[in-house]
Amino acid sequence: MTADPRPCALPDTPLAAARAGLDACVHCGFCLQACPTYLALEDENDSPRGRLVLMRALLEGTLAPDDADTRAHLDRCLGCRGCETACPSGVPYGAVLEAARATLVARRPAPLVARLVLAVFSRPLPLGIAMAGARLVRATRLAVLLGRLPGRVGCAVAMLDATRPAVAGRAYPVPGDGARGTVALLDGCVMEGLYAPTHRATARVLAVNGHRVVAAPGQRCC
C-alpha cells in the first residue's frame, strides 16, 4: 500500500475520513436543479458541487478553516439531501457536509447564542418551556409589534407570528384501524409546540386512510 500523495491540511478529522465521498463527485451538474439554495441564489458556491469543491479546498489546505466566505456558503446549505437522489455518482453529500461542519466547529465553536439555541432544541424540557413561551407571545399579539423590529429579532418574531393557525381548531375522532399499515409520526422540534392543529390534522388524514398512527420515541431536533 502506498501513501496518498495529495496534501491534507486537516488530517485526522471527520472531513478527512469522508474523502471518499469527495472523490466520488464528477461535477456533472445534475445536482444543481435539485438544490434550493442554488436555485434561489444562482451562485455556484451555494450548489452541492460548489460546496464539495470548497470542502476539498479546506481538506487540502488551499482554504483556511476560518475563512468567513467558505463558512457562509456551507452554513447556507439546508441539508435537505435532495441532491443525493439526483446524483448519478452516488455522492453521500449529507455525510460529507456533516463531516465538514463537525471539522469546522472543532476549530472554531459556534457563537454562544447558537450553542444556547441548540442546547434548548436538543432537550425536551427546555424546548417545551420555550414553545410554551412562544405560544404565549403569539397569543397576546405581541409578535405583531415585535415583528416590526429590525434585524434578526424582528425576523424571528415575524416568523413566529406566521405560525398562527389560519382556522379555528376542532376535535375529530381518529378511527385508524391500521388496515393499510402503521405510520410513525415525527413531532420534530416545533410541530407539537407551534403547529399542533396541523399535526393533529395529519394524524387524522393518515388514520382515515387506514393507517395506524404511532409516536416515534426518542426524537430530537432534526
Side-chain angles (χ1 to χ4, degrees):
M1 179 181 294
T2 59
D4 191 337
R6 290 173 296 181
C8 182
L10 298 176
D12 302 322
T13 62
L15 185 56
R19 174 181 280 180
L22 287 171
D23 292 342
C25 179
V26 296
H27 310 289
C28 64
F30 280 94
C31 59
L32 298 182
Q33 296 304 309
C35 178
T37 53
Y38 175 77
L39 293 176
L41 302 174
E42 297 183 343
D43 187 337
E44 183 71 32
N45 292 304
D46 290 306
S47 72
R49 70 177 182 181
R51 292 189 177 105
L52 289 170
V53 170
L54 295 176
M55 295 179 210
R56 180 182 293 279
L58 286 171
L59 181 60
E60 296 180 349
T62 55
L63 279 177
D66 59 353
D67 183 80
D69 290 335
T70 300
R71 283 178 173 263
H73 292 304
L74 295 182
D75 287 344
R76 285 177 190 153
C77 180
L78 304 177
C80 67
R81 301 192 177 188
C83 55
E84 291 189 356
T85 57
C87 178
S89 301
V91 176
Y93 175 83
V96 178
L97 175 68
E98 292 170 0
R101 286 175 167 171
T103 299
L104 293 177
V105 167
R107 279 156 173 74
R108 192 177 72 179
L112 177 61
V113 173
R115 296 201 299 273
L116 289 175
V117 170
L118 291 173
V120 169
F121 274 73
S122 63
R123 293 170 173 80
L125 180 59
L127 179 60
I129 295 173
M131 291 296 106
R135 291 195 301 272
L136 178 62
V137 172
R138 186 180 66 182
T140 58
R141 306 292 293 183
L142 186 61
V144 176
L145 299 176
L146 295 179
R148 298 171 183 171
L149 294 174
R152 294 183 177 180
V153 173
C155 179
V157 179
M159 291 175 63
L160 171 63
D161 187 57
T163 66
R164 189 183 309 279
V167 296
R170 180 180 174 186
Y172 292 90
V174 181
D177 57 5
R180 298 182 63 182
T182 301
V183 177
L185 194 59
L186 301 177
D187 294 334
C189 303
V190 297
M191 286 307 298
E192 279 294 318
L194 298 178
Y195 295 98
T198 302
H199 208 39
R200 301 289 186 271
T202 302
R204 292 195 300 271
V205 169
L206 289 168
V208 168
N209 283 277
H211 293 86
R212 185 170 67 93
V213 181
V214 299
Q219 296 182 49
R220 294 293 184 268
C221 175
C222 59

